[in-house]
Amino acid sequence: MHTTEFDTSLPSIRQLQNLVKQTAVVEFKLITGDLLTGRVLWQDPQCVCITDENSQQTTIWKQAIAYIKPKAS
Amino acid sequence: MHTTEFDTSLPSIRQLQNLVKQTAVVEFKLITGDLLTGRVLWQDPQCVCITDENSQQTTIWKQAIAYIKPKAS
Amino acid sequence: MHTTEFDTSLPSIRQLQNLVKQTAVVEFKLITGDLLTGRVLWQDPQCVCITDENSQQTTIWKQAIAYIKPKAS
Amino acid sequence: MHTTEFDTSLPSIRQLQNLVKQTAVVEFKLITGDLLTGRVLWQDPQCVCITDENSQQTTIWKQAIAYIKPKAS
Amino acid sequence: MHTTEFDTSLPSIRQLQNLVKQTAVVEFKLITGDLLTGRVLWQDPQCVCITDENSQQTTIWKQAIAYIKPKAS
Amino acid sequence: MHTTEFDTSLPSIRQLQNLVKQTAVVEFKLITGDLLTGRVLWQDPQCVCITDENSQQTTIWKQAIAYIKPKAS
């Protein structure tokens, strides 16, 4: 088994970790053009899992993210 | 021969493994815009294989996945 | 010279090898939206080569594959 | 923990660092076709974070950048 | 300086080398949807350079290739 | 700090270096479909920087290049 590299000192990794802690609502724009909105449950090196108002979970592949935008609270 | 790295401790890998065990129906949104739905038969580091109601198998390249969504049961 | 890694124990690699042996007709959906159909002649770590009914060969870059679907026989 | 490689001697990395220092307005064209404009707050190996006139932050995945253009001042 | 890996034993690399030797006309379908046609002058790990009837050279990034098709002679 | 690999013996790297020296006008077709034209100022492993007639600089991410075409002089 291989332990995948995950550098928690990187600002972009920490930003996502903070969004998990804050249970903030975040917009994810994907390279497909899809715009997904939800609270971030977890991230790993490959994916980010979000949940919407109906507790429907969606696992986003990081390779498909164009940008993310925390929604103003 | 080379044994490809596959970190089964990652949440996103384990989520897919759980979906295999649960024989859950999952939606795959691809970067092509295609939306494929089926039960997950297996994954490896490169692909995820699903089967639909007619037992037609489709092997999805992970590089093409934008997001996945387990369907509400 | 470098010998490229190619893990023949992976299900997705073996599936393609089996499709070569079976001379099965396979659909390839590419991230361009193209749908190519043919029998698989060979694969290597970078490409999959298929041939159509007129013996026209096409070499598909794996990086462009969204999914593959063996056609029902 | 793994420290991600980040070569600050590269012109393209330094260019972004300079744009941070200059608080210059920069256009980002993404492979989605989106055109985002803002001042660069930080970069790391994975992302670039910008802020617009309303202090709305957007974290752009570098994998999604097609080109950047500093706006004429 | 780093010498980039280039495995000339791979069928897909050799196929391109043979197309160079044969000065064969080849169609390149790119992930942009562009279809470029020309004779292959050289390849390296990153690119393939072709020339058209007017001796106009185009350097194609391999990352953008969806498939290639030698034209019937 | 990490020194990024950059193999100046590759034809495609040298071609870009020559285009810098010649201050040649080059067309860049991107995977977004954008067609950018300009003289090449510099390249590094990640980007190519061009300048247009109005001295407007644009930094193109190599990951987004489909092909390049030196313009006939």
Side-chain angles (χ1 to χ4, degrees):
Chain A
M1 202 195 76
H2 168 77
T3 302
T4 307
E5 301 161 357
F6 195 46
D7 184 352
T8 54
S9 74
L10 292 181
S12 61
I13 301 288
R14 276 188 287 128
Q15 184 185 45
L16 270 167
Q17 299 296 62
N18 287 334
L19 292 169
V20 172
K21 283 182 203 152
Q22 297 159 14
T23 65
V25 175
V26 183
E27 282 183 0
F28 288 80
K29 179 66 176 268
L30 305 190
I31 59 174
T32 50
D34 286 296
L35 188 68
L36 303 181
T37 304
R39 297 176 196 282
V40 186
L41 295 181
W42 52 260
Q43 70 166 322
D44 71 10
Q46 187 174 248
C47 294
V48 181
C49 185
I50 63 171
T51 181
D52 68 14
E53 299 162 357
N54 306 312
S55 301
Q56 168 68 55
Q57 291 185 20
T58 302
T59 305
I60 300 169
W61 253 251
K62 284 183 174 173
Q63 66 193 3
I65 299 176
Y67 62 82
I68 71 172
K69 199 183 283 195
K71 291 194 67 159
S73 54
Chain B
M1 203 196 75
H2 168 76
T3 302
T4 306
E5 300 161 359
F6 195 46
D7 184 352
T8 53
S9 74
L10 292 182
S12 62
I13 301 288
R14 275 188 287 127
Q15 184 184 46
L16 270 168
Q17 298 297 63
N18 286 334
L19 292 169
V20 172
K21 282 183 202 150
Q22 297 159 13
T23 66
V25 175
V26 183
E27 282 183 359
F28 288 80
K29 179 67 177 270
L30 305 190
I31 59 175
T32 51
D34 287 295
L35 188 68
L36 302 182
T37 304
R39 298 176 194 282
V40 186
L41 295 180
W42 51 261
Q43 70 167 322
D44 71 10
Q46 185 174 249
C47 294
V48 180
C49 186
I50 63 171
T51 181
D52 68 14
E53 299 163 357
N54 307 313
S55 301
Q56 168 68 54
Q57 291 186 20
T58 301
T59 304
I60 300 169
W61 253 251
K62 283 183 176 174
Q63 67 193 3
I65 299 176
Y67 62 82
I68 70 172
K69 198 183 284 196
K71 291 194 66 159
S73 54
Chain C
M1 202 196 74
H2 169 76
T3 302
T4 306
E5 300 161 359
F6 196 45
D7 185 351
T8 53
S9 74
L10 291 182
S12 62
I13 302 287
R14 275 188 286 129
Q15 184 184 45
L16 270 168
Q17 298 298 63
N18 287 333
L19 291 169
V20 172
K21 283 183 201 149
Q22 296 159 14
T23 65
V25 175
V26 182
E27 283 183 0
F28 288 79
K29 179 68 176 267
L30 305 189
I31 59 176
T32 50
D34 286 295
L35 188 67
L36 303 182
T37 304
R39 297 175 195 283
V40 186
L41 294 181
W42 51 261
Q43 70 168 321
D44 70 11
Q46 185 174 250
C47 293
V48 180
C49 185
I50 64 171
T51 181
D52 69 13
E53 298 163 357
N54 306 313
S55 301
Q56 169 67 54
Q57 290 186 21
T58 302
T59 304
I60 300 168
W61 252 251
K62 283 183 175 174
Q63 67 193 3
I65 299 176
Y67 62 83
I68 70 172
K69 198 184 284 196
K71 291 196 63 161
S73 53
Chain D
M1 204 196 75
H2 168 78
T3 302
T4 306
E5 301 160 359
F6 196 46
D7 184 353
T8 53
S9 73
L10 291 182
S12 61
I13 301 288
R14 276 189 287 128
Q15 185 185 44
L16 271 167
Q17 298 297 63
N18 286 334
L19 292 168
V20 172
K21 283 183 203 150
Q22 297 159 14
T23 65
V25 175
V26 183
E27 282 183 359
F28 288 80
K29 179 67 177 268
L30 305 189
I31 59 174
T32 51
D34 287 295
L35 188 68
L36 304 180
T37 304
R39 296 177 196 281
V40 186
L41 294 180
W42 52 260
Q43 69 168 324
D44 71 9
Q46 187 174 248
C47 293
V48 181
C49 186
I50 63 171
T51 181
D52 68 14
E53 298 161 358
N54 307 312
S55 300
Q56 167 69 54
Q57 290 185 21
T58 302
T59 305
I60 300 169
W61 254 250
K62 284 183 175 174
Q63 67 194 2
I65 299 176
Y67 61 82
I68 70 173
K69 198 184 282 195
K71 290 194 66 159
S73 53
Chain E
M1 203 197 74
H2 168 78
T3 301
T4 307
E5 300 160 0
F6 196 46
D7 185 351
T8 54
S9 73
L10 291 182
S12 61
I13 301 289
R14 276 188 286 128
Q15 184 185 45
L16 270 168
Q17 298 298 61
N18 286 335
L19 292 169
V20 172
K21 283 183 202 150
Q22 297 159 14
T23 65
V25 175
V26 182
E27 281 183 1
F28 288 79
K29 179 68 178 267
L30 305 189
I31 59 175
T32 51
D34 286 296
L35 187 68
L36 303 181
T37 304
R39 297 175 196 282
V40 187
L41 294 180
W42 51 261
Q43 70 168 322
D44 70 11
Q46 185 175 249
C47 294
V48 181
C49 185
I50 64 171
T51 181
D52 68 12
E53 298 163 357
N54 306 314
S55 300
Q56 168 68 54
Q57 290 186 21
T58 302
T59 305
I60 300 168
W61 253 252
K62 283 182 175 175
Q63 67 194 3
I65 300 176
Y67 62 82
I68 70 171
K69 199 185 283 196
K71 291 195 63 161
S73 53
Chain F
M1 204 196 75
H2 168 77
T3 302
T4 307
E5 300 161 359
F6 196 46
D7 185 352
T8 54
S9 74
L10 291 183
S12 61
I13 301 289
R14 276 188 286 128
Q15 184 185 45
L16 271 167
Q17 298 297 63
N18 286 334
L19 292 168
V20 173
K21 284 184 202 150
Q22 297 159 16
T23 65
V25 175
V26 183
E27 282 183 1
F28 288 79
K29 178 67 177 269
L30 305 189
I31 59 174
T32 51
D34 286 296
L35 188 67
L36 304 181
T37 304
R39 296 176 197 282
V40 186
L41 294 180
W42 52 260
Q43 70 169 323
D44 71 9
Q46 186 174 249
C47 294
V48 181
C49 186
I50 63 172
T51 182
D52 69 13
E53 298 163 358
N54 306 314
S55 300
Q56 168 68 55
Q57 290 185 22
T58 302
T59 305
I60 300 169
W61 253 252
K62 283 183 175 174
Q63 68 194 2
I65 299 176
Y67 62 83
I68 70 172
K69 199 184 282 196
K71 291 194 64 160
S73 54

